[in-house]
């Protein structure tokens, strides 16, 4: 499945993405905003393992973000389980040289529509660390609601931080 809007394309990963992915992802300014499962340093082997995992997924939920034909980031929807199965968590990053060009905002809008229209999701959410205003701004621009703060929920790099929770609902249930 590929999603296209203007200069932005969301497409499945390819094994040949590994070198570029490792180069983009090996950046502390990216990893410090993500779960510890996103390692630092980020090796080519980490990229190969991640791409293999994406290609094994039963549904298209992990996408490479292309900007003008170049792979510049990743975006995903991770569907939840059990009573949360109509929800998914969104995650994304953009390579630092491409920040502040509107790429994340465009990609988030595209994958949210895909999640609602193609995956049957009713709610898409994420938690942003308190020190990440750029991602909070992306979510606000994409129509997410700031639902609340989980005080000191995040333990990252040896300190506790607040998590700011955002969500958007499928318009079908508004
Ligand atoms: C967060 C991230 C995805 C944003 O990607 P991007 O393509 O630069 O996002 P956009 O260009 O669509 O929008 C960025 C917005 O944040 C704003 N912004 C950037 N830095 C900011 C800062 N320090 N304080 C406040 N706003 C900031 C920009 O001005 C822009 O808003 P605007 O359009 O109103 O001017 C990117 O910085 C990144 O990959 N960060 C590391 C990983 C990460 O944080 N992932 C998300 C985890 S929840």
């Amino acid at each position: 499945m590929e999603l296209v809007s203007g200069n932005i394309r969301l497409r499945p990963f390819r094994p040949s993405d590994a070198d570029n992915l490792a180069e983009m992802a090996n950046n502390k300014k990216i990893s410090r905003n993500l779960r510890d499962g996103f390692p630092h340093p980020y090796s080519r082997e980490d990229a190969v393992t991640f791409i293999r995992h994406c290609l094994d997924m039963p549904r298209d939920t992990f996408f490479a973000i292309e900007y003008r034909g170049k792979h510049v980031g990743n975006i995903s929807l991770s569907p939840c389980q059990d009573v949360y199965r109509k929800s998914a968590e969104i995650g994304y990053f953009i390579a630092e040289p491409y920040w502040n060009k509107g790429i994340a905002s465009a990609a988030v809008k595209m994958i949210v529509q895909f999640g609602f229209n193609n995956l049957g999701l009713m709610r898409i959410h994420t938690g942003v660390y308190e020190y990440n205003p750029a991602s909070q701004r992306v979510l606000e621009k994409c129509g997410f609601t700031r639902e609340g703060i989980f005080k000191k929920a995040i333990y990252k790099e040896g300190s506790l931080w607040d998590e700011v929770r955002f969500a958007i609902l499928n318009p079908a249930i508004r």
Side-chain angles (χ1 to χ4, degrees), residues 40-87:
H40 187 81
Y42 194 108
S43 68
R44 185 175 191 283
E45 195 48 42
D46 293 321
V48 168
T49 303
F50 173 77
I51 291 168
R52 200 176 293 137
H53 169 72
C54 295
L55 295 177
D56 283 347
M57 298 296 279
R59 293 186 291 180
D60 285 331
T61 51
F62 284 75
F63 294 91
I65 303 170
E66 282 187 4
Y67 172 68
R68 297 183 172 158
K70 177 156 176 38
H71 179 199
V72 299
N74 296 358
I75 192 162
S76 61
L77 289 174
S78 300
C80 302
Q81 306 293 321
D82 202 284
V83 293
Y84 301 109
R85 62 190 174 275
K86 292 293 181 186
S87 298

mmCIF file of all heavy atoms in Angstrom, residues 40-87:
data_model
loop_
_atom_site.group_PDB
_atom_site.id
_atom_site.type_symbol
_atom_site.label_atom_id
_atom_site.label_comp_id
_atom_site.label_asym_id
_atom_site.label_seq_id
_atom_site.Cartn_x
_atom_site.Cartn_y
_atom_site.Cartn_z
ATOM 1 N N HIS A 40 20.444 4.014 20.638
ATOM 2 C CA HIS A 40 21.501 4.960 20.281
ATOM 3 C C HIS A 40 22.805 4.452 20.840
ATOM 4 O O HIS A 40 22.870 4.199 22.046
ATOM 5 C CB HIS A 40 21.220 6.368 20.804
ATOM 6 C CG HIS A 40 22.235 7.344 20.271
ATOM 7 N ND1 HIS A 40 22.136 7.882 19.009
ATOM 8 C CD2 HIS A 40 23.395 7.794 20.782
ATOM 9 C CE1 HIS A 40 23.176 8.663 18.788
ATOM 10 N NE2 HIS A 40 23.960 8.631 19.851
ATOM 11 N N PRO A 41 23.854 4.274 20.071
ATOM 12 C CA PRO A 41 23.884 4.490 18.617
ATOM 13 C C PRO A 41 22.980 3.511 17.868
ATOM 14 O O PRO A 41 22.645 2.454 18.400
ATOM 15 C CB PRO A 41 25.353 4.270 18.258
ATOM 16 C CG PRO A 41 25.995 3.615 19.427
ATOM 17 C CD PRO A 41 25.140 3.826 20.614
ATOM 18 N N TYR A 42 22.598 3.901 16.653
ATOM 19 C CA TYR A 42 21.690 3.102 15.813
ATOM 20 C C TYR A 42 22.525 2.535 14.665
ATOM 21 O O TYR A 42 22.999 3.283 13.824
ATOM 22 C CB TYR A 42 20.582 4.000 15.288
ATOM 23 C CG TYR A 42 19.391 3.278 14.698
ATOM 24 C CD1 TYR A 42 18.172 3.252 15.366
ATOM 25 C CD2 TYR A 42 19.464 2.655 13.455
ATOM 26 C CE1 TYR A 42 17.073 2.613 14.836
ATOM 27 C CE2 TYR A 42 18.360 2.016 12.911
ATOM 28 C CZ TYR A 42 17.169 1.996 13.611
ATOM 29 O OH TYR A 42 16.079 1.363 13.076
ATOM 30 N N SER A 43 22.685 1.208 14.670
ATOM 31 C CA SER A 43 23.591 0.578 13.706
ATOM 32 C C SER A 43 22.853 0.125 12.445
ATOM 33 O O SER A 43 21.621 0.073 12.416
ATOM 34 C CB SER A 43 24.251 -0.637 14.351
ATOM 35 O OG SER A 43 23.274 -1.638 14.572
ATOM 36 N N ARG A 44 23.614 -0.259 11.442
ATOM 37 C CA ARG A 44 23.005 -0.835 10.237
ATOM 38 C C ARG A 44 22.250 -2.109 10.607
ATOM 39 O O ARG A 44 21.178 -2.372 10.057
ATOM 40 C CB ARG A 44 24.088 -1.141 9.198
ATOM 41 C CG ARG A 44 23.490 -1.630 7.907
ATOM 42 C CD ARG A 44 24.486 -1.830 6.800
ATOM 43 N NE ARG A 44 23.780 -2.038 5.555
ATOM 44 C CZ ARG A 44 23.198 -3.180 5.220
ATOM 45 N NH1 ARG A 44 23.231 -4.211 6.026
ATOM 46 N NH2 ARG A 44 22.555 -3.276 4.059
ATOM 47 N N GLU A 45 22.787 -2.884 11.556
ATOM 48 C CA GLU A 45 22.104 -4.111 11.984
ATOM 49 C C GLU A 45 20.759 -3.777 12.636
ATOM 50 O O GLU A 45 19.775 -4.502 12.435
ATOM 51 C CB GLU A 45 23.016 -4.884 12.954
ATOM 52 C CG GLU A 45 22.610 -6.319 13.199
ATOM 53 C CD GLU A 45 22.314 -7.102 11.918
ATOM 54 O OE1 GLU A 45 23.064 -6.953 10.935
ATOM 55 O OE2 GLU A 45 21.310 -7.834 11.889
ATOM 56 N N ASP A 46 20.705 -2.691 13.412
ATOM 57 C CA ASP A 46 19.416 -2.256 13.983
ATOM 58 C C ASP A 46 18.417 -1.949 12.864
ATOM 59 O O ASP A 46 17.237 -2.271 12.959
ATOM 60 C CB ASP A 46 19.613 -1.003 14.841
ATOM 61 C CG ASP A 46 20.421 -1.272 16.095
ATOM 62 O OD1 ASP A 46 20.234 -2.340 16.702
ATOM 63 O OD2 ASP A 46 21.234 -0.401 16.465
ATOM 64 N N ALA A 47 18.892 -1.296 11.806
ATOM 65 C CA ALA A 47 18.007 -0.953 10.691
ATOM 66 C C ALA A 47 17.522 -2.209 9.976
ATOM 67 O O ALA A 47 16.336 -2.331 9.652
ATOM 68 C CB ALA A 47 18.737 -0.025 9.711
ATOM 69 N N VAL A 48 18.424 -3.164 9.766
ATOM 70 C CA VAL A 48 18.047 -4.417 9.094
ATOM 71 C C VAL A 48 16.992 -5.153 9.917
ATOM 72 O O VAL A 48 15.982 -5.632 9.385
ATOM 73 C CB VAL A 48 19.304 -5.296 8.878
ATOM 74 C CG1 VAL A 48 18.911 -6.707 8.455
ATOM 75 C CG2 VAL A 48 20.228 -4.642 7.853
ATOM 76 N N THR A 49 17.205 -5.215 11.231
ATOM 77 C CA THR A 49 16.251 -5.911 12.114
ATOM 78 C C THR A 49 14.891 -5.219 12.085
ATOM 79 O O THR A 49 13.837 -5.867 12.002
ATOM 80 C CB THR A 49 16.794 -5.928 13.567
ATOM 81 O OG1 THR A 49 18.066 -6.552 13.553
ATOM 82 C CG2 THR A 49 15.862 -6.650 14.505
ATOM 83 N N PHE A 50 14.904 -3.882 12.133
ATOM 84 C CA PHE A 50 13.642 -3.130 12.109
ATOM 85 C C PHE A 50 12.891 -3.363 10.792
ATOM 86 O O PHE A 50 11.676 -3.599 10.794
ATOM 87 C CB PHE A 50 13.940 -1.639 12.301
ATOM 88 C CG PHE A 50 12.741 -0.763 12.121
ATOM 89 C CD1 PHE A 50 11.778 -0.664 13.107
ATOM 90 C CD2 PHE A 50 12.553 -0.054 10.933
ATOM 91 C CE1 PHE A 50 10.644 0.138 12.929
ATOM 92 C CE2 PHE A 50 11.425 0.744 10.746
ATOM 93 C CZ PHE A 50 10.476 0.834 11.750
ATOM 94 N N ILE A 51 13.608 -3.301 9.688
ATOM 95 C CA ILE A 51 12.955 -3.462 8.379
ATOM 96 C C ILE A 51 12.372 -4.872 8.255
ATOM 97 O O ILE A 51 11.242 -5.051 7.772
ATOM 98 C CB ILE A 51 13.949 -3.139 7.239
ATOM 99 C CG1 ILE A 51 14.265 -1.644 7.250
ATOM 100 C CG2 ILE A 51 13.385 -3.562 5.890
ATOM 101 C CD1 ILE A 51 15.431 -1.235 6.370
ATOM 102 N N ARG A 52 13.114 -5.874 8.738
ATOM 103 C CA ARG A 52 12.600 -7.255 8.696
ATOM 104 C C ARG A 52 11.302 -7.348 9.509
ATOM 105 O O ARG A 52 10.320 -7.952 9.078
ATOM 106 C CB ARG A 52 13.667 -8.197 9.265
ATOM 107 C CG ARG A 52 13.493 -9.627 8.852
ATOM 108 C CD ARG A 52 14.631 -10.490 9.355
ATOM 109 N NE ARG A 52 15.905 -10.192 8.750
ATOM 110 C CZ ARG A 52 17.072 -10.119 9.428
ATOM 111 N NH1 ARG A 52 17.105 -10.282 10.719
ATOM 112 N NH2 ARG A 52 18.188 -9.861 8.793
ATOM 113 N N HIS A 53 11.288 -6.714 10.674
ATOM 114 C CA HIS A 53 10.090 -6.700 11.524
ATOM 115 C C HIS A 53 8.913 -6.055 10.778
ATOM 116 O O HIS A 53 7.795 -6.577 10.775
ATOM 117 C CB HIS A 53 10.401 -5.930 12.807
ATOM 118 C CG HIS A 53 9.222 -5.607 13.655
ATOM 119 N ND1 HIS A 53 8.544 -6.554 14.386
ATOM 120 C CD2 HIS A 53 8.582 -4.428 13.881
ATOM 121 C CE1 HIS A 53 7.539 -5.979 15.021
ATOM 122 N NE2 HIS A 53 7.540 -4.694 14.738
ATOM 123 N N CYS A 54 9.172 -4.929 10.100
ATOM 124 C CA CYS A 54 8.103 -4.243 9.358
ATOM 125 C C CYS A 54 7.558 -5.136 8.250
ATOM 126 O O CYS A 54 6.342 -5.200 8.019
ATOM 127 C CB CYS A 54 8.623 -2.950 8.729
ATOM 128 S SG CYS A 54 9.113 -1.733 9.931
ATOM 129 N N LEU A 55 8.455 -5.808 7.546
ATOM 130 C CA LEU A 55 8.031 -6.627 6.409
ATOM 131 C C LEU A 55 7.270 -7.866 6.874
ATOM 132 O O LEU A 55 6.503 -8.447 6.101
ATOM 133 C CB LEU A 55 9.242 -7.008 5.548
ATOM 134 C CG LEU A 55 9.928 -5.804 4.878
ATOM 135 C CD1 LEU A 55 11.165 -6.236 4.098
ATOM 136 C CD2 LEU A 55 8.961 -5.051 3.953
ATOM 137 N N ASP A 56 7.441 -8.253 8.154
ATOM 138 C CA ASP A 56 6.723 -9.412 8.704
ATOM 139 C C ASP A 56 5.335 -9.052 9.220
ATOM 140 O O ASP A 56 4.560 -9.940 9.579
ATOM 141 C CB ASP A 56 7.508 -10.012 9.889
ATOM 142 C CG ASP A 56 8.693 -10.837 9.411
ATOM 143 O OD1 ASP A 56 8.748 -11.135 8.202
ATOM 144 O OD2 ASP A 56 9.563 -11.139 10.248
ATOM 145 N N MET A 57 5.021 -7.756 9.311
ATOM 146 C CA MET A 57 3.727 -7.354 9.879
ATOM 147 C C MET A 57 2.590 -7.816 8.966
ATOM 148 O O MET A 57 2.699 -7.731 7.748
ATOM 149 C CB MET A 57 3.642 -5.830 10.039
ATOM 150 C CG MET A 57 4.675 -5.252 10.978
ATOM 151 S SD MET A 57 4.492 -5.814 12.656
ATOM 152 C CE MET A 57 3.198 -4.721 13.202
ATOM 153 N N PRO A 58 1.483 -8.289 9.565
ATOM 154 C CA PRO A 58 0.385 -8.784 8.733
ATOM 155 C C PRO A 58 -0.322 -7.686 7.945
ATOM 156 O O PRO A 58 -0.875 -7.942 6.883
ATOM 157 C CB PRO A 58 -0.571 -9.421 9.748
ATOM 158 C CG PRO A 58 -0.215 -8.796 11.059
ATOM 159 C CD PRO A 58 1.229 -8.430 10.994
ATOM 160 N N ARG A 59 -0.307 -6.468 8.480
ATOM 161 C CA ARG A 59 -0.967 -5.348 7.777
ATOM 162 C C ARG A 59 0.041 -4.229 7.577
ATOM 163 O O ARG A 59 1.049 -4.161 8.270
ATOM 164 C CB ARG A 59 -2.149 -4.820 8.599
ATOM 165 C CG ARG A 59 -3.286 -5.796 8.719
ATOM 166 C CD ARG A 59 -4.489 -5.171 9.405
ATOM 167 N NE ARG A 59 -4.236 -4.897 10.812
ATOM 168 C CZ ARG A 59 -5.113 -4.352 11.647
ATOM 169 N NH1 ARG A 59 -6.307 -4.018 11.212
ATOM 170 N NH2 ARG A 59 -4.812 -4.154 12.902
ATOM 171 N N ASP A 60 -0.256 -3.330 6.629
ATOM 172 C CA ASP A 60 0.611 -2.181 6.383
ATOM 173 C C ASP A 60 0.423 -1.166 7.499
ATOM 174 O O ASP A 60 -0.536 -0.388 7.491
ATOM 175 C CB ASP A 60 0.239 -1.497 5.059
ATOM 176 C CG ASP A 60 0.710 -2.297 3.867
ATOM 177 O OD1 ASP A 60 1.715 -3.008 4.001
ATOM 178 O OD2 ASP A 60 0.078 -2.179 2.808
ATOM 179 N N THR A 61 1.338 -1.159 8.461
ATOM 180 C CA THR A 61 1.225 -0.181 9.538
ATOM 181 C C THR A 61 2.528 0.571 9.776
ATOM 182 O O THR A 61 2.564 1.503 10.568
ATOM 183 C CB THR A 61 0.778 -0.849 10.856
ATOM 184 O OG1 THR A 61 1.615 -1.968 11.104
ATOM 185 C CG2 THR A 61 -0.670 -1.298 10.787
ATOM 186 N N PHE A 62 3.609 0.147 9.111
ATOM 187 C CA PHE A 62 4.897 0.841 9.218
ATOM 188 C C PHE A 62 5.267 1.350 7.829
ATOM 189 O O PHE A 62 5.334 0.557 6.886
ATOM 190 C CB PHE A 62 6.012 -0.103 9.706
ATOM 191 C CG PHE A 62 5.951 -0.398 11.167
ATOM 192 C CD1 PHE A 62 5.008 -1.267 11.685
ATOM 193 C CD2 PHE A 62 6.856 0.183 12.045
ATOM 194 C CE1 PHE A 62 4.963 -1.548 13.037
ATOM 195 C CE2 PHE A 62 6.812 -0.096 13.403
ATOM 196 C CZ PHE A 62 5.863 -0.953 13.901
ATOM 197 N N PHE A 63 5.534 2.637 7.712
ATOM 198 C CA PHE A 63 5.808 3.231 6.401
ATOM 199 C C PHE A 63 7.102 4.034 6.429
ATOM 200 O O PHE A 63 7.406 4.730 7.405
ATOM 201 C CB PHE A 63 4.694 4.204 6.000
ATOM 202 C CG PHE A 63 3.357 3.564 5.762
ATOM 203 C CD1 PHE A 63 2.439 3.443 6.790
ATOM 204 C CD2 PHE A 63 3.015 3.091 4.500
ATOM 205 C CE1 PHE A 63 1.194 2.863 6.578
ATOM 206 C CE2 PHE A 63 1.781 2.507 4.280
ATOM 207 C CZ PHE A 63 0.867 2.391 5.311
ATOM 208 N N ALA A 64 7.824 3.984 5.299
ATOM 209 C CA ALA A 64 8.899 4.938 5.037
ATOM 210 C C ALA A 64 8.242 6.215 4.502
ATOM 211 O O ALA A 64 7.324 6.150 3.684
ATOM 212 C CB ALA A 64 9.856 4.373 3.995
ATOM 213 N N ILE A 65 8.727 7.373 4.992
ATOM 214 C CA ILE A 65 8.231 8.666 4.492
ATOM 215 C C ILE A 65 9.209 9.139 3.421
ATOM 216 O O ILE A 65 10.401 9.309 3.699
ATOM 217 C CB ILE A 65 8.171 9.721 5.612
ATOM 218 C CG1 ILE A 65 7.310 9.245 6.779
ATOM 219 C CG2 ILE A 65 7.667 11.053 5.053
ATOM 220 C CD1 ILE A 65 7.409 10.152 8.019
ATOM 221 N N GLU A 66 8.701 9.357 2.221
ATOM 222 C CA GLU A 66 9.531 9.949 1.164
ATOM 223 C C GLU A 66 9.104 11.396 0.940
ATOM 224 O O GLU A 66 7.900 11.704 0.903
ATOM 225 C CB GLU A 66 9.370 9.194 -0.162
ATOM 226 C CG GLU A 66 10.136 7.894 -0.205
ATOM 227 C CD GLU A 66 10.095 7.267 -1.593
ATOM 228 O OE1 GLU A 66 9.545 7.874 -2.538
ATOM 229 O OE2 GLU A 66 10.610 6.134 -1.722
ATOM 230 N N TYR A 67 10.111 12.266 0.794
ATOM 231 C CA TYR A 67 9.883 13.685 0.463
ATOM 232 C C TYR A 67 10.608 13.946 -0.848
ATOM 233 O O TYR A 67 11.825 13.760 -0.926
ATOM 234 C CB TYR A 67 10.434 14.562 1.583
ATOM 235 C CG TYR A 67 10.442 16.034 1.314
ATOM 236 C CD1 TYR A 67 9.254 16.753 1.205
ATOM 237 C CD2 TYR A 67 11.647 16.724 1.181
ATOM 238 C CE1 TYR A 67 9.268 18.112 0.976
ATOM 239 C CE2 TYR A 67 11.662 18.089 0.960
ATOM 240 C CZ TYR A 67 10.467 18.773 0.845
ATOM 241 O OH TYR A 67 10.493 20.128 0.618
ATOM 242 N N ARG A 68 9.868 14.303 -1.863
ATOM 243 C CA ARG A 68 10.445 14.486 -3.204
ATOM 244 C C ARG A 68 11.300 13.282 -3.608
ATOM 245 O O ARG A 68 12.416 13.433 -4.102
ATOM 246 C CB ARG A 68 11.254 15.768 -3.270
ATOM 247 C CG ARG A 68 10.377 16.992 -3.043
ATOM 248 C CD ARG A 68 11.145 18.287 -3.181
ATOM 249 N NE ARG A 68 10.215 19.405 -3.134
ATOM 250 C CZ ARG A 68 10.549 20.636 -2.807
ATOM 251 N NH1 ARG A 68 11.801 20.933 -2.512
ATOM 252 N NH2 ARG A 68 9.654 21.592 -2.801
ATOM 253 N N GLY A 69 10.796 12.076 -3.318
ATOM 254 C CA GLY A 69 11.453 10.853 -3.769
ATOM 255 C C GLY A 69 12.581 10.365 -2.875
ATOM 256 O O GLY A 69 13.168 9.312 -3.144
ATOM 257 N N LYS A 70 12.872 11.095 -1.784
ATOM 258 C CA LYS A 70 13.950 10.652 -0.885
ATOM 259 C C LYS A 70 13.359 10.181 0.444
ATOM 260 O O LYS A 70 12.471 10.818 0.994
ATOM 261 C CB LYS A 70 14.926 11.818 -0.647
ATOM 262 C CG LYS A 70 16.023 11.441 0.329
ATOM 263 C CD LYS A 70 17.268 12.259 0.186
ATOM 264 C CE LYS A 70 18.318 11.926 1.236
ATOM 265 N NZ LYS A 70 18.474 10.521 1.616
ATOM 266 N N HIS A 71 13.882 9.044 0.946
ATOM 267 C CA HIS A 71 13.436 8.521 2.241
ATOM 268 C C HIS A 71 13.982 9.415 3.355
ATOM 269 O O HIS A 71 15.200 9.471 3.559
ATOM 270 C CB HIS A 71 13.951 7.085 2.375
ATOM 271 C CG HIS A 71 13.594 6.421 3.652
ATOM 272 N ND1 HIS A 71 14.256 5.315 4.121
ATOM 273 C CD2 HIS A 71 12.642 6.691 4.581
ATOM 274 C CE1 HIS A 71 13.744 4.933 5.270
ATOM 275 N NE2 HIS A 71 12.758 5.755 5.580
ATOM 276 N N VAL A 72 13.082 10.118 4.055
ATOM 277 C CA VAL A 72 13.515 11.095 5.059
ATOM 278 C C VAL A 72 12.985 10.799 6.456
ATOM 279 O O VAL A 72 13.239 11.589 7.376
ATOM 280 C CB VAL A 72 13.112 12.533 4.657
ATOM 281 C CG1 VAL A 72 13.769 12.937 3.339
ATOM 282 C CG2 VAL A 72 11.592 12.682 4.587
ATOM 283 N N GLY A 73 12.252 9.689 6.636
ATOM 284 C CA GLY A 73 11.742 9.406 7.974
ATOM 285 C C GLY A 73 10.847 8.191 7.979
ATOM 286 O O GLY A 73 10.632 7.548 6.942
ATOM 287 N N ASN A 74 10.348 7.867 9.158
ATOM 288 C CA ASN A 74 9.474 6.710 9.358
ATOM 289 C C ASN A 74 8.196 7.162 10.068
ATOM 290 O O ASN A 74 8.228 8.103 10.883
ATOM 291 C CB ASN A 74 10.134 5.674 10.271
ATOM 292 C CG ASN A 74 11.386 5.067 9.707
ATOM 293 O OD1 ASN A 74 11.793 5.373 8.589
ATOM 294 N ND2 ASN A 74 11.998 4.196 10.494
ATOM 295 N N ILE A 75 7.115 6.420 9.814
ATOM 296 C CA ILE A 75 5.871 6.677 10.552
ATOM 297 C C ILE A 75 5.127 5.352 10.695
ATOM 298 O O ILE A 75 5.198 4.497 9.795
ATOM 299 C CB ILE A 75 5.015 7.756 9.846
ATOM 300 C CG1 ILE A 75 3.880 8.217 10.766
ATOM 301 C CG2 ILE A 75 4.497 7.292 8.483
ATOM 302 C CD1 ILE A 75 3.257 9.539 10.358
ATOM 303 N N SER A 76 4.444 5.185 11.827
ATOM 304 C CA SER A 76 3.776 3.900 12.075
ATOM 305 C C SER A 76 2.502 4.088 12.877
ATOM 306 O O SER A 76 2.325 5.082 13.595
ATOM 307 C CB SER A 76 4.709 2.964 12.852
ATOM 308 O OG SER A 76 5.028 3.536 14.100
ATOM 309 N N LEU A 77 1.633 3.104 12.743
ATOM 310 C CA LEU A 77 0.480 2.942 13.624
ATOM 311 C C LEU A 77 0.630 1.574 14.267
ATOM 312 O O LEU A 77 0.766 0.575 13.558
ATOM 313 C CB LEU A 77 -0.827 2.975 12.823
ATOM 314 C CG LEU A 77 -1.254 4.310 12.254
ATOM 315 C CD1 LEU A 77 -2.493 4.123 11.374
ATOM 316 C CD2 LEU A 77 -1.558 5.320 13.366
ATOM 317 N N SER A 78 0.617 1.530 15.586
ATOM 318 C CA SER A 78 0.702 0.250 16.295
ATOM 319 C C SER A 78 -0.658 -0.043 16.901
ATOM 320 O O SER A 78 -1.029 0.552 17.931
ATOM 321 C CB SER A 78 1.764 0.312 17.391
ATOM 322 O OG SER A 78 3.019 0.601 16.824
ATOM 323 N N PRO A 79 -1.445 -0.941 16.278
ATOM 324 C CA PRO A 79 -2.779 -1.231 16.793
ATOM 325 C C PRO A 79 -2.710 -1.820 18.196
ATOM 326 O O PRO A 79 -1.807 -2.609 18.508
ATOM 327 C CB PRO A 79 -3.334 -2.239 15.781
ATOM 328 C CG PRO A 79 -2.564 -1.990 14.531
ATOM 329 C CD PRO A 79 -1.184 -1.612 14.999
ATOM 330 N N CYS A 80 -3.652 -1.438 19.025
ATOM 331 C CA CYS A 80 -3.712 -1.925 20.409
ATOM 332 C C CYS A 80 -4.535 -3.208 20.466
ATOM 333 O O CYS A 80 -5.150 -3.619 19.485
ATOM 334 C CB CYS A 80 -4.295 -0.839 21.311
ATOM 335 S SG CYS A 80 -3.331 0.687 21.261
ATOM 336 N N GLN A 81 -4.537 -3.828 21.649
ATOM 337 C CA GLN A 81 -5.150 -5.152 21.824
ATOM 338 C C GLN A 81 -6.391 -5.079 22.707
ATOM 339 O O GLN A 81 -6.645 -4.091 23.374
ATOM 340 C CB GLN A 81 -4.149 -6.089 22.506
ATOM 341 C CG GLN A 81 -2.805 -6.185 21.821
ATOM 342 C CD GLN A 81 -2.898 -6.862 20.472
ATOM 343 O OE1 GLN A 81 -3.651 -7.821 20.315
ATOM 344 N NE2 GLN A 81 -2.179 -6.340 19.488
ATOM 345 N N ASP A 82 -7.124 -6.187 22.699
ATOM 346 C CA ASP A 82 -8.227 -6.439 23.630
ATOM 347 C C ASP A 82 -9.247 -5.305 23.548
ATOM 348 O O ASP A 82 -9.640 -4.919 22.439
ATOM 349 C CB ASP A 82 -7.632 -6.597 25.051
ATOM 350 C CG ASP A 82 -8.537 -7.372 25.994
ATOM 351 O OD1 ASP A 82 -9.536 -6.791 26.459
ATOM 352 O OD2 ASP A 82 -8.274 -8.552 26.249
ATOM 353 N N VAL A 83 -9.662 -4.748 24.674
ATOM 354 C CA VAL A 83 -10.692 -3.697 24.631
ATOM 355 C C VAL A 83 -10.187 -2.417 23.965
ATOM 356 O O VAL A 83 -10.987 -1.532 23.644
ATOM 357 C CB VAL A 83 -11.222 -3.350 26.039
ATOM 358 C CG1 VAL A 83 -11.981 -4.533 26.613
ATOM 359 C CG2 VAL A 83 -10.114 -2.896 26.964
ATOM 360 N N TYR A 84 -8.871 -2.321 23.760
ATOM 361 C CA TYR A 84 -8.291 -1.145 23.095
ATOM 362 C C TYR A 84 -8.117 -1.378 21.596
ATOM 363 O O TYR A 84 -7.423 -0.623 20.936
ATOM 364 C CB TYR A 84 -6.932 -0.810 23.722
ATOM 365 C CG TYR A 84 -7.005 -0.529 25.197
ATOM 366 C CD1 TYR A 84 -6.491 -1.432 26.115
ATOM 367 C CD2 TYR A 84 -7.612 0.631 25.686
ATOM 368 C CE1 TYR A 84 -6.573 -1.192 27.483
ATOM 369 C CE2 TYR A 84 -7.689 0.883 27.042
ATOM 370 C CZ TYR A 84 -7.170 -0.029 27.933
ATOM 371 O OH TYR A 84 -7.250 0.217 29.285
ATOM 372 N N ARG A 85 -8.752 -2.437 21.054
ATOM 373 C CA ARG A 85 -8.417 -2.831 19.684
ATOM 374 C C ARG A 85 -8.941 -1.876 18.625
ATOM 375 O O ARG A 85 -8.613 -2.041 17.455
ATOM 376 C CB ARG A 85 -8.885 -4.264 19.409
ATOM 377 C CG ARG A 85 -10.379 -4.504 19.502
ATOM 378 C CD ARG A 85 -10.629 -6.027 19.456
ATOM 379 N NE ARG A 85 -12.018 -6.386 19.665
ATOM 380 C CZ ARG A 85 -12.593 -6.552 20.851
ATOM 381 N NH1 ARG A 85 -11.898 -6.373 21.965
ATOM 382 N NH2 ARG A 85 -13.866 -6.886 20.946
ATOM 383 N N LYS A 86 -9.750 -0.890 18.983
ATOM 384 C CA LYS A 86 -10.144 0.142 18.013
ATOM 385 C C LYS A 86 -9.206 1.344 18.080
ATOM 386 O O LYS A 86 -9.457 2.368 17.446
ATOM 387 C CB LYS A 86 -11.592 0.589 18.268
ATOM 388 C CG LYS A 86 -12.618 -0.500 17.973
ATOM 389 C CD LYS A 86 -12.673 -0.816 16.490
ATOM 390 C CE LYS A 86 -13.708 -1.890 16.173
ATOM 391 N NZ LYS A 86 -13.639 -2.287 14.740
ATOM 392 N N SER A 87 -8.149 1.220 18.873
ATOM 393 C CA SER A 87 -7.168 2.299 19.029
ATOM 394 C C SER A 87 -5.820 1.864 18.471
ATOM 395 O O SER A 87 -5.524 0.673 18.387
ATOM 396 C CB SER A 87 -6.960 2.635 20.505
ATOM 397 O OG SER A 87 -8.129 3.102 21.108
#
